[in-house]
mmCIF file of all heavy atoms in Angstrom:
data_model
loop_
_atom_site.group_PDB
_atom_site.id
_atom_site.type_symbol
_atom_site.label_atom_id
_atom_site.label_comp_id
_atom_site.label_asym_id
_atom_site.label_seq_id
_atom_site.Cartn_x
_atom_site.Cartn_y
_atom_site.Cartn_z
ATOM 1 N N ILE A 524 34.569 20.505 -13.044
ATOM 2 C CA ILE A 524 33.104 20.631 -13.047
ATOM 3 C C ILE A 524 32.480 19.464 -13.816
ATOM 4 O O ILE A 524 32.816 19.211 -14.976
ATOM 5 C CB ILE A 524 32.664 21.974 -13.664
ATOM 6 C CG1 ILE A 524 33.168 23.138 -12.815
ATOM 7 C CG2 ILE A 524 31.139 22.030 -13.792
ATOM 8 C CD1 ILE A 524 32.905 24.498 -13.427
ATOM 9 N N THR A 525 31.614 18.766 -13.167
ATOM 10 C CA THR A 525 30.925 17.632 -13.796
ATOM 11 C C THR A 525 29.474 17.954 -14.138
ATOM 12 O O THR A 525 28.820 17.175 -14.835
ATOM 13 C CB THR A 525 30.926 16.406 -12.847
ATOM 14 O OG1 THR A 525 30.343 16.785 -11.597
ATOM 15 C CG2 THR A 525 32.342 15.914 -12.602
ATOM 16 N N TRP A 526 28.977 19.067 -13.628
ATOM 17 C CA TRP A 526 27.561 19.410 -13.834
ATOM 18 C C TRP A 526 27.360 20.024 -15.202
ATOM 19 O O TRP A 526 28.001 21.013 -15.548
ATOM 20 C CB TRP A 526 27.086 20.365 -12.746
ATOM 21 C CG TRP A 526 25.585 20.354 -12.604
ATOM 22 C CD1 TRP A 526 24.710 21.261 -13.095
ATOM 23 C CD2 TRP A 526 24.814 19.359 -11.933
ATOM 24 N NE1 TRP A 526 23.427 20.914 -12.770
ATOM 25 C CE2 TRP A 526 23.456 19.735 -12.052
ATOM 26 C CE3 TRP A 526 25.132 18.191 -11.243
ATOM 27 C CZ2 TRP A 526 22.419 18.988 -11.514
ATOM 28 C CZ3 TRP A 526 24.091 17.434 -10.701
ATOM 29 C CH2 TRP A 526 22.760 17.844 -10.840
ATOM 30 N N ARG A 527 26.453 19.448 -15.995
ATOM 31 C CA ARG A 527 26.167 19.926 -17.343
ATOM 32 C C ARG A 527 24.714 20.349 -17.433
ATOM 33 O O ARG A 527 23.885 19.968 -16.610
ATOM 34 C CB ARG A 527 26.453 18.807 -18.363
ATOM 35 C CG ARG A 527 27.924 18.469 -18.500
ATOM 36 C CD ARG A 527 28.127 17.048 -19.026
ATOM 37 N NE ARG A 527 27.582 16.814 -20.349
ATOM 38 C CZ ARG A 527 28.256 16.964 -21.498
ATOM 39 N NH1 ARG A 527 29.523 17.369 -21.482
ATOM 40 N NH2 ARG A 527 27.687 16.700 -22.658
ATOM 41 N N ARG A 528 24.406 21.135 -18.418
ATOM 42 C CA ARG A 528 23.022 21.516 -18.663
ATOM 43 C C ARG A 528 22.296 20.376 -19.365
ATOM 44 O O ARG A 528 22.928 19.475 -19.925
ATOM 45 C CB ARG A 528 22.971 22.805 -19.483
ATOM 46 C CG ARG A 528 23.422 24.030 -18.684
ATOM 47 C CD ARG A 528 23.810 25.213 -19.555
ATOM 48 N NE ARG A 528 24.069 26.406 -18.757
ATOM 49 C CZ ARG A 528 25.209 26.671 -18.129
ATOM 50 N NH1 ARG A 528 26.214 25.799 -18.202
ATOM 51 N NH2 ARG A 528 25.356 27.786 -17.424
ATOM 52 N N VAL A 529 20.940 20.415 -19.314
ATOM 53 C CA VAL A 529 20.159 19.324 -19.906
ATOM 54 C C VAL A 529 19.005 19.883 -20.725
ATOM 55 O O VAL A 529 18.557 21.014 -20.520
ATOM 56 C CB VAL A 529 19.595 18.373 -18.823
ATOM 57 C CG1 VAL A 529 20.704 17.691 -18.051
ATOM 58 C CG2 VAL A 529 18.640 19.092 -17.884
ATOM 59 N N VAL A 530 18.510 19.056 -21.644
ATOM 60 C CA VAL A 530 17.333 19.363 -22.434
ATOM 61 C C VAL A 530 16.658 18.045 -22.780
ATOM 62 O O VAL A 530 17.335 17.031 -22.994
ATOM 63 C CB VAL A 530 17.712 20.146 -23.717
ATOM 64 C CG1 VAL A 530 18.606 19.318 -24.638
ATOM 65 C CG2 VAL A 530 16.470 20.619 -24.455
ATOM 66 N N ASP A 531 15.334 18.030 -22.785
ATOM 67 C CA ASP A 531 14.598 16.790 -23.066
ATOM 68 C C ASP A 531 14.375 16.643 -24.561
ATOM 69 O O ASP A 531 13.244 16.635 -25.056
ATOM 70 C CB ASP A 531 13.260 16.785 -22.316
ATOM 71 C CG ASP A 531 12.581 15.423 -22.385
ATOM 72 O OD1 ASP A 531 13.298 14.415 -22.443
ATOM 73 O OD2 ASP A 531 11.341 15.380 -22.371
ATOM 74 N N CYS A 532 15.476 16.525 -25.273
ATOM 75 C CA CYS A 532 15.414 16.456 -26.727
ATOM 76 C C CYS A 532 16.694 15.797 -27.226
ATOM 77 O O CYS A 532 17.758 15.964 -26.628
ATOM 78 C CB CYS A 532 15.275 17.859 -27.315
ATOM 79 S SG CYS A 532 15.177 17.912 -29.115
ATOM 80 N N ASN A 533 16.591 15.024 -28.278
ATOM 81 C CA ASN A 533 17.789 14.494 -28.925
ATOM 82 C C ASN A 533 18.427 15.612 -29.756
ATOM 83 O O ASN A 533 17.829 16.110 -30.705
ATOM 84 C CB ASN A 533 17.430 13.323 -29.846
ATOM 85 C CG ASN A 533 16.978 12.097 -29.089
ATOM 86 O OD1 ASN A 533 16.856 12.130 -27.872
ATOM 87 N ND2 ASN A 533 16.727 11.017 -29.801
ATOM 88 N N ASP A 534 19.640 16.024 -29.387
ATOM 89 C CA ASP A 534 20.285 17.147 -30.079
ATOM 90 C C ASP A 534 21.800 16.960 -30.020
ATOM 91 O O ASP A 534 22.474 17.396 -29.092
ATOM 92 C CB ASP A 534 19.879 18.464 -29.417
ATOM 93 C CG ASP A 534 20.253 19.682 -30.254
ATOM 94 O OD1 ASP A 534 21.097 19.532 -31.172
ATOM 95 O OD2 ASP A 534 19.709 20.760 -29.981
ATOM 96 N N ARG A 535 22.341 16.293 -31.069
ATOM 97 C CA ARG A 535 23.758 15.934 -31.080
ATOM 98 C C ARG A 535 24.681 17.156 -31.023
ATOM 99 O O ARG A 535 25.800 17.086 -30.538
ATOM 100 C CB ARG A 535 24.076 15.093 -32.314
ATOM 101 C CG ARG A 535 23.951 15.843 -33.635
ATOM 102 C CD ARG A 535 24.240 14.949 -34.848
ATOM 103 N NE ARG A 535 23.176 13.990 -35.088
ATOM 104 C CZ ARG A 535 23.339 12.673 -34.944
ATOM 105 N NH1 ARG A 535 24.512 12.203 -34.575
ATOM 106 N NH2 ARG A 535 22.348 11.871 -35.180
ATOM 107 N N HIS A 536 24.196 18.318 -31.485
ATOM 108 C CA HIS A 536 25.051 19.503 -31.555
ATOM 109 C C HIS A 536 25.270 20.169 -30.203
ATOM 110 O O HIS A 536 26.043 21.129 -30.094
ATOM 111 C CB HIS A 536 24.466 20.512 -32.552
ATOM 112 C CG HIS A 536 24.533 20.022 -33.964
ATOM 113 N ND1 HIS A 536 23.523 19.289 -34.534
ATOM 114 C CD2 HIS A 536 25.509 20.133 -34.904
ATOM 115 C CE1 HIS A 536 23.851 18.978 -35.770
ATOM 116 N NE2 HIS A 536 25.059 19.468 -36.033
ATOM 117 N N LEU A 537 24.606 19.655 -29.180
ATOM 118 C CA LEU A 537 24.807 20.191 -27.836
ATOM 119 C C LEU A 537 25.736 19.324 -26.988
ATOM 120 O O LEU A 537 25.960 19.621 -25.818
ATOM 121 C CB LEU A 537 23.456 20.336 -27.115
ATOM 122 C CG LEU A 537 22.492 21.385 -27.679
ATOM 123 C CD1 LEU A 537 21.172 21.351 -26.913
ATOM 124 C CD2 LEU A 537 23.109 22.768 -27.619
#
Side-chain angles (χ1 to χ4, degrees):
I524 296 174
T525 56
W526 201 259
R527 291 156 62 92
R528 290 161 173 82
V529 297
V530 63
D531 190 31
C532 180
N533 291 4
D534 193 343
R535 67 182 72 247
H536 292 90
L537 293 177

